[in-house]
Every structure is written in C-alpha cells, then in structure tokens.
Amino acid sequence: MKNIVVVVCLLLAAATVNAQDKFFTRSGKVTFFSKSDMENIEAVNTKGTSVLDTKTGQLEFAVLLKAFEFEKELMMEHFNENYVESDKYPKSTFKGTVDDISAVNFQKDGVYPIKLKGQFTLHGVTKEVLTDGTIEVKGGKPTGKASFTILLADYNIVVPNVVKDNISKSVKIDIIAAYEKMSL
C-alpha cells in the first residue's frame, strides 16, 4: 500500500512539473480578411483554443468555424454553407512548433521574434505553413501573434463565378493568443 501511495505522488509531481511548461487559452482570437475591388470581407473568432509547450515549442490551435462573426448575416451563412462547409468540416487547426523556443525567455518581459512551422488544416485539406510571429511575455504570461496568407484554391474552396469579383482568391489570417499557465 505504501508503494502505491509513493507511485501516485511521484506521478502527480511529474504531471505538475510537466504542466508548468505548458500554457493554454480558450479565447484565442483569429481574424481573417479578404480584400477585393467589390467588397472587403472580415470575420472574427474569439473562441480559439490553444496549447503552447514552452519546453518543446509544440503549439496547437483550433477554432470552430461556426464561431466566426461577420458584419453581415448573409456573409456568415455563405461562409458556413457554401465555402468552408462547416457542417462537414467543423473546425480548422494548426499543429506545429515554435522554432528555437529556447530564444524566448519566459521569465523576462519582452517581445521575442519567432518562426512557426506546422500543418494548417481547413476544409479537410492540410498544408504546411511557415510564418513569422512574436511572443510577448508580460508578467510571466506569453501572448503569441502570427499572420499568414492562404489561397482558397489550395484548400479546395471554390468561389462561384457569379461572385468571383466579390471575393479575393487569397485570405489573410491573423492570430493572437493570450495564454495562462496550464494547471491540472
């Protein structure tokens, strides 16, 4: 019995040490912007979930596509039904790493440039993404920021000819994630 208690205590201690290296958010902000001659389209999602492991640089981010908010209700309807088919493909994800995570001092306030590399999945298609970003540490809490641009055709998103002038072929995606220490 004494051995079981010792093993359980060691496992809990190891899990706590491991959790100290991880940060989490459920309020990551993802904005996408499409600019065309006819109309700009912008949507915001403030319900992104993300985990950042400060020891390994592992980073995961996910958003439910139906949580994007648009200026016009019709834009949201077309986005979900016609373009990203959110009933069939409910979420978008990024799984990758922060290169050279050791260059970020999580114990010292400051803004640290980073490079992100990983797999971005949208509309059932996964593509490699490489981009620059920053991690700002303030009071021991990191906030990650990154931007990248995708081509709709790369993700099998088809824009009907009737509205092809209204929607850009590329979309800029901006991500901001303010993290809290992950606890068990």
Side-chain angles (χ1 to χ4, degrees):
M1 180 70 164
K2 185 178 178 184
N3 288 340
I4 293 174
V5 172
V6 170
V7 169
V8 169
C9 288
L10 287 173
L11 288 173
L12 286 173
T16 302
V17 168
N18 193 30
Q20 290 176 355
D21 296 329
K22 293 186 181 179
F23 286 83
F24 179 78
T25 187
R26 283 190 179 104
S27 58
K29 181 179 177 182
V30 178
T31 305
F32 76 78
F33 184 74
S34 164
K35 181 178 176 140
S36 71
D37 293 337
M38 295 292 291
E39 183 173 39
N40 293 338
I41 299 171
E42 184 172 18
V44 178
N45 183 327
T46 58
K47 298 176 182 169
T49 58
S50 181
V51 176
L52 170 64
D53 186 322
T54 61
K55 190 173 185 178
T56 65
Q58 290 286 132
L59 175 70
E60 292 192 20
F61 200 100
V63 291
L64 290 176
L65 296 173
K66 285 189 177 182
F68 276 98
E69 297 176 5
F70 291 77
E71 178 184 340
K72 299 175 185 173
E73 185 75 25
L74 188 59
M75 285 180 179
M76 184 171 70
E77 186 178 315
H78 287 169
F79 171 79
N80 284 300
E81 292 177 10
N82 303 331
Y83 301 111
V84 296
E85 300 176 274
S86 57
D87 285 335
K88 187 174 181 180
Y89 308 105
K91 68 180 179 177
S92 180
T93 62
F94 175 85
K95 293 179 183 181
T97 56
V98 176
D99 285 350
D100 197 20
I101 192 73
S102 62
V104 179
N105 185 346
F106 289 93
Q107 308 305 314
K108 182 180 177 189
D109 286 2
V111 178
Y112 302 90
I114 59 168
K115 293 198 178 294
L116 291 171
K117 177 181 178 181
Q119 303 292 313
F120 177 66
T121 301
L122 175 66
H123 198 240
V125 177
T126 302
K127 297 277 184 184
E128 177 106 352
V129 170
L130 301 167
T131 192
D132 295 328
T134 61
I135 292 179
E136 179 177 6
V137 178
K138 195 179 223 179
K141 296 180 181 181
T143 297
K145 296 180 182 179
S147 297
F148 58 97
T149 300
I150 64 166
L151 296 175
L152 297 177
D154 287 349
Y155 293 88
N156 296 334
I157 297 173
V158 179
V159 177
N161 283 334
V162 73
V163 292
K164 71 176 180 167
D165 293 333
N166 294 26
I167 298 174
S168 175
K169 291 178 170 78
S170 64
V171 174
K172 182 178 183 239
I173 299 171
D174 294 313
I175 300 170
I176 301 172
Y179 294 94
E180 297 286 333
K181 216 171 244 303
M182 192 172 194
S183 61
L184 295 176

